[in-house]
Amino acid sequence: KNEVEQSPQNLTAQEGEFITINCSYSVGISALHWLQQHPGGGIVSLFMLSSGKKKHGRLIATINIQEKHSSLHITASHPRDSAVYICAVIGRRGSQGNLIFGKGTKLSVKP
Amino acid sequence: NAGVMQNPRHLVRRRGQEARLRCSPMKGHSHVYWYRQLPEEGLKFMVYLQKENIIDESGMPKERFSAEFPKEGPSILRIQQVVRGDSAAYFCASSQSLSGGITDTQYFGPGTRLTVL
């Protein structure tokens, strides 16, 4: 079993829909990252959080440390949101660079 | 402020040759991380470096792979005697110095796509 599990693996939505991507992990962590990988391959860090909730524009990330679960929400989705969204955690035992990655959720937003 | 730069963006090597991948961190960043993404697989941590020091190399293959981050110049990921299984995208990321033990956001480079023929 992977230490970081994401669901769903693939997600197709219509423009304007509210989207939720889930991430569950099985190790103790010091922080969790949400990353976006564009179709061209480039990676952008969206959020880093260790508790609570963060919001940036139409993106919201939440984390529940007790339940070892995080969600990434996209409000009013747009075709330009189409990308692979990756959850990654920093285990308490690893160094701060030792990210453990989920396999990603491929999002496709149709116009 | 330029972002994290990696070069080359694409690299083709024949089996047995050496591959050198370069990463220039963002200005003011002294922490560098290398990750590998194999075809159809997720990202995997390889190594974490600070200037002139390897902090964590637990993700590096034991043979043929090495990394350095000298006092001057870019970080280098070196793969000797490449094999077809080394074909992958190699991403570098950088972050600022830690303050008070707080983990810093990592900024990713565009990646180097290595193809071994």
Side-chain angles (χ1 to χ4, degrees):
Chain A
K1 188 179 190 302
N2 293 330
E3 291 170 298
V4 180
E5 295 276 1
Q6 288 186 236
S7 63
Q9 280 187 302
N10 293 283
L11 181 57
T12 300
Q14 286 299 127
E15 183 172 355
E17 285 185 3
F18 180 83
I19 288 161
T20 295
I21 298 170
N22 295 299
C23 174
S24 297
Y25 51 91
S26 57
V27 295
I29 70 167
S30 56
L32 181 145
H33 291 254
W34 280 102
L35 309 170
Q36 179 192 53
Q37 186 166 27
H38 299 289
I43 298 173
V44 175
S45 180
L46 298 175
F47 295 104
M48 185 184 65
L49 64 167
S50 54
S51 64
K53 175 180 175 179
K54 286 191 176 180
K55 185 176 189 293
H56 185 259
R58 295 181 294 108
L59 302 178
I60 303 166
T62 63
I63 188 168
N64 185 318
I65 296 295
Q66 285 74 29
E67 294 186 4
K68 294 187 175 178
H69 181 268
S70 175
S71 292
L72 177 68
H73 306 284
I74 305 175
T75 61
S77 60
H78 190 276
R80 66 174 174 265
D81 297 326
S82 298
V84 176
Y85 292 84
I86 302 168
C87 171
V89 302
I90 299 172
R92 278 206 214 101
R93 292 185 180 179
S95 68
Q96 77 120 18
N98 195 334
L99 292 179
I100 306 167
F101 295 87
K103 292 190 174 180
T105 294
K106 186 174 182 179
L107 171 66
S108 178
V109 181
K110 305 292 186 188
Chain B
N1 187 6
V4 178
M5 297 172 66
Q6 290 188 248
N7 68 80
R9 295 290 304 276
H10 299 273
L11 182 61
V12 179
R13 284 287 178 265
R14 296 192 180 279
R15 280 180 298 169
Q17 290 184 320
E18 178 179 285
R20 280 185 180 240
L21 287 62
R22 293 175 189 78
C23 170
S24 296
M26 284 180 71
K27 189 175 180 180
H29 286 194
S30 57
H31 298 242
V32 165
Y33 319 87
W34 285 94
Y35 302 98
R36 177 166 66 173
Q37 188 172 38
L38 293 166
E40 306 303 321
E41 292 191 23
L43 287 151
K44 301 284 187 191
F45 166 76
M46 297 183 77
V47 63
Y48 162 33
L49 309 106
Q50 292 179 27
K51 287 279 187 182
E52 299 183 281
N53 280 309
I54 296 174
I55 306 302
D56 181 352
E57 56 181 351
S58 58
M60 286 279 269
K62 298 292 182 219
E63 297 176 349
R64 302 187 297 108
F65 285 72
S66 62
E68 62 176 6
F69 188 17
K71 189 176 179 181
E72 301 290 338
S75 175
I76 306 286
L77 179 67
R78 183 181 177 208
I79 312 172
Q80 295 178 291
Q81 299 175 322
V82 296
V83 300
R84 289 217 174 102
D86 297 332
S87 295
Y90 292 83
F91 290 93
C92 163
S94 73
S95 69
Q96 290 181 320
S97 299
L98 295 174
S99 55
I102 298 170
T103 302
D104 280 325
T105 298
Q106 295 183 25
Y107 296 84
F108 284 78
T112 293
R113 274 126 189 100
L114 173 65
T115 301
V116 180
L117 302 176

